Amino acid sequence: MPRPDARTVAVLAALGALAPLAMLVIWRRQDLLGVVLALLCVLLTMVAGVAVSAARQGDAPEPVDRAPAVGPPELMPYGIDADTLDALDSRDALRAVRDRRRGTNGLSGGR
């Protein structure tokens, strides 16, 4: 027996959620049966939402392995790991590390 398609599950769950919702609106029950119908409506709505998400994910093509995005060198200090960047709090310390990587002695006429 084949598994149903995600779109089929979404449609069936959405239609199934409409039935208890219509019964709640028409009957206006405020007892245990009303609570059960409301919970059933919420459950079927959640199933429909997950099925729609699965159908959308199934339609998206698999991403191709791409090289990481490369930005300007001043925004990407190569050779510095995440722990070092975490330890550097100020922009001056980061600028000093970047200048050291470029080979200057911090004599850029910046400040």
Side-chain angles (χ1 to χ4, degrees):
M1 182 170 191
R3 287 181 57 189
D5 186 33
R7 287 182 180 89
T8 307
V9 172
V11 169
L12 291 177
L15 291 175
L18 285 177
L21 181 64
M23 289 193 306
L24 277 172
V25 170
I26 292 171
W27 285 352
R28 297 182 192 261
R29 305 265 326 217
Q30 295 183 358
D31 57 352
L32 182 61
L33 182 61
V35 172
V36 169
L37 287 174
L39 288 175
L40 184 62
C41 183
V42 170
L43 176 69
L44 289 172
T45 304
M46 294 293 292
V47 169
V50 170
V52 166
S53 177
R56 285 184 182 173
Q57 188 176 12
D59 290 344
E62 297 263 339
V64 217
D65 289 339
R66 290 186 241 159
V70 178
E74 58 269 1
L75 295 179
M76 299 182 68
Y78 297 107
I80 300 175
D81 61 352
D83 294 330
T84 306
L85 287 176
D86 192 32
L88 296 174
D89 288 341
S90 68
R91 291 180 185 225
D92 293 332
L94 185 58
R95 188 176 298 122
V97 170
R98 199 176 314 132
D99 289 342
R100 190 171 0 134
R101 290 287 294 168
R102 289 185 189 150
T104 62
N105 292 327
L107 298 177
S108 62
R111 276 180 153 179

